């Protein structure tokens, strides 16, 4: 169970890394005219993109699809906020329950071992 969670976490971060590379080199200039030519702040966005890459992709596609950057850029996507809050709450509960159920019990009959410096 733990190795599966680690694998899913690593997969999430690797996909986020790929999205951040593509978005910060190509996408940000296309959807935000204020970001054109500014390269020093882009590395600061990488941690956030690693974690919320589905939202970044969704907004990027939405802005590209509408064509009018100024209107789409400032239109909030508040219709999906309640659903995202419910999904996040369910996922947090699933992660907590799976973490509590995956606890290992240590053997009680193992004697303590004195650690010493190597000679």
């Amino acid at each position: 169970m733990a190795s599966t969670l680690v694998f899913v976490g690593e997969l999430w971060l690797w996909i986020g890394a790929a999205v951040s590379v593509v978005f910060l080199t190509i996408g940000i200039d296309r959807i935000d005219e204020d970001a054109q030519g500014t390269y020093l702040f882009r590395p600061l966005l990488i941690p956030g993109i690693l974690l919320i890459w589905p939202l970044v992709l969704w907004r990027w596609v939405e802005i590209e699809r509408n064509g009018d950057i100024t209107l789409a850029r400032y239109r909030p996507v508040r219709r999906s906020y309640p659903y995202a809050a419910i999904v996040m709450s369910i996922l947090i509960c699933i992660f907590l329950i799976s973490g509590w159920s995956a606890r290992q019990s240590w053997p009680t009959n193992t004697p303590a071992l004195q650690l010493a410096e190597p000679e």
Side-chain angles (χ1 to χ4, degrees), residues 62-115:
E62 181 180 324
I63 290 172
E64 289 285 336
R65 188 181 304 152
N66 289 337
D68 188 6
I69 293 174
T70 57
L71 291 177
R73 179 174 157 197
Y74 296 110
R75 184 176 56 234
V77 289
R78 295 176 195 244
R79 294 183 311 265
S80 63
Y81 286 175
Y83 302 115
I86 291 170
V87 169
M88 286 179 166
S89 301
I90 291 171
L91 286 175
I92 288 172
C93 290
I94 289 172
F95 288 148
L96 285 175
I97 290 170
S98 64
W100 289 330
S101 65
R103 284 190 179 172
Q104 297 178 354
S105 59
W106 297 100
T108 57
N109 57 355
T110 305
L113 179 63
Q114 179 74 30
L115 297 177

Side-chain angles (χ1 to χ4, degrees), residues 26 28 35 39 46 48 55 69 93 95 110:
I26 299 170
I28 198 164
Y39 298 105
I46 292 173
L55 182 62
I69 293 174
C93 290
F95 288 148
T110 305

Side-chain angles (χ1 to χ4, degrees), residues 4-80:
T4 304
L5 290 175
V6 169
F7 174 75
V8 169
E10 287 178 353
L11 182 64
W12 184 273
L13 291 176
W14 280 111
I15 294 172
V19 168
S20 69
V21 167
V22 173
F23 179 72
L24 292 177
T25 56
I26 299 170
I28 198 164
D29 289 332
R30 295 181 65 166
I31 67 169
D32 189 3
E33 63 273 358
D34 295 332
Q36 294 176 358
T38 56
Y39 298 105
L40 292 178
F41 85 98
R42 293 180 187 198
L44 299 174
L45 299 176
I46 292 173
I49 295 173
L50 289 177
L51 295 177
I52 61 167
W53 61 265
L55 182 62
V56 171
L57 281 179
W58 178 42
R59 290 293 291 161
W60 185 11
V61 168
E62 181 180 324
I63 290 172
E64 289 285 336
R65 188 181 304 152
N66 289 337
D68 188 6
I69 293 174
T70 57
L71 291 177
R73 179 174 157 197
Y74 296 110
R75 184 176 56 234
V77 289
R78 295 176 195 244
R79 294 183 311 265
S80 63

